[in-house]
Amino acid sequence: EGNEKRLCDLGKETKKKLMLDLKRIKEGGDTFFSLNELHTVQELHSEARRGGREDGVLYKQMSDSKAESIMLCHLQNRNIHGKIFGGYIMRKAFEMAHTQAYLYGNSRPIVQAVDKIRFRKPVEVGSILSLKTKVVYARGYPFTSAQVKVDAEVINPTTGNRDLTNDFFFTFSFPEGPVPRLMPESFDEMEDYVEGMRRQAQGREDVETRREMIMSASRMLLEKGKSKL
């Protein structure tokens, strides 16, 4: 009964925010979602209200695809400037993302891409660092990839306030088969889902652009070689 009430409250809150975004789109105002993205999240919202069931498709809730690790930043991990080395935070973030992807897909994942990493603020030696990871995008059957986000935050032990220092996005593939379809429930989770969807689409465009550049350079070299013969 408690779980049903939680889903009902989430549904009401999410529907209200989605309708507000739709109103802003119609009025030409600022909104997080585009019209097509809004249609996507409305469909997801409807599926979540139905319980996320469809023949032959396995679903997992975003709320069940999260984890957090908290650690103390020690002196041996500092860089030449006396701050915590960024590479150390990257390694820890990757380990968290890989583990979460493994748990989500129920098979060993292979990293396919690492999105642009944003170093917002340095992390001081002695800081309490939180790494919060979650799967933010997975289309499910018949697709075999998932995107995982990791937020690095410094926690103030006195106030409990958190300060975001880094965020990471990793794309993993699963050679052994399709992964469950990710089901966001709340409006905030749907924002994460759309951000993951955008980043994965941008990643595919970047791969195609690089492929075209390589092919173009190869053709130029080939033609140059022929002209010398």
Side-chain angles (χ1 to χ4, degrees), residues 39-217:
H39 177 68
T40 298
V41 297
Q42 283 178 323
E43 286 185 338
L44 284 168
H45 177 242
S46 297
E47 288 181 25
R49 293 295 302 276
R50 294 197 303 268
R53 295 290 181 267
E54 185 177 321
D55 291 342
V57 179
L58 177 64
Y59 291 83
K60 281 191 177 181
Q61 303 290 350
M62 189 180 287
S63 55
D64 296 328
S65 307
K66 301 178 181 181
E68 182 178 13
S69 175
I70 298 177
M71 65 194 74
L72 186 64
C73 296
H74 294 286
L75 192 64
Q76 61 265 32
N77 296 313
R78 73 188 186 280
N79 59 22
I80 59 174
H81 303 292
K83 313 295 183 183
I84 296 300
F85 180 51
Y88 170 76
I89 301 173
M90 287 172 59
R91 178 171 66 84
K92 288 296 185 181
F94 173 75
E95 290 172 356
M96 284 284 294
H98 184 272
T99 302
Q100 191 61 38
Y102 205 158
L103 291 171
Y104 183 82
N106 301 318
S107 63
R108 189 178 298 277
I110 296 176
V111 64
Q112 292 294 314
V114 181
D115 206 338
K116 295 176 182 177
I117 298 171
R118 288 180 287 187
F119 289 91
R120 300 170 182 268
K121 296 179 181 179
V123 177
E124 304 290 342
V125 172
S127 296
I128 298 176
L129 186 67
S130 162
L131 293 176
K132 296 168 67 176
T133 180
K134 56 186 169 184
V135 179
V136 292
Y137 183 65
R139 295 175 69 181
Y141 181 86
F143 302 98
T144 59
S145 66
Q147 189 158 73
V148 182
K149 178 183 181 183
V150 181
D151 285 332
E153 300 174 330
V154 169
I155 304 174
N156 185 318
T158 304
T159 64
N161 292 336
R162 292 170 176 254
D163 198 8
L164 182 66
T165 61
N166 310 85
D167 51 14
F168 309 84
F169 286 85
F170 302 91
T171 301
F172 294 93
S173 65
F174 298 80
E176 296 180 24
V179 296
R181 182 171 183 181
L182 187 68
M183 184 63 64
E185 295 177 295
S186 69
F187 188 81
D188 290 341
E189 287 182 352
M190 288 179 181
E191 286 186 332
D192 286 333
Y193 184 92
V194 168
E195 184 178 11
M197 181 170 64
R198 289 173 180 171
R199 285 176 178 270
Q200 193 166 82
Q202 184 61 51
R204 286 195 295 268
E205 290 179 11
D206 291 345
V207 168
E208 289 299 321
T209 300
R210 287 195 295 269
R211 183 180 290 121
E212 285 295 323
M213 290 173 64
I214 292 170
M215 290 178 65
S216 177

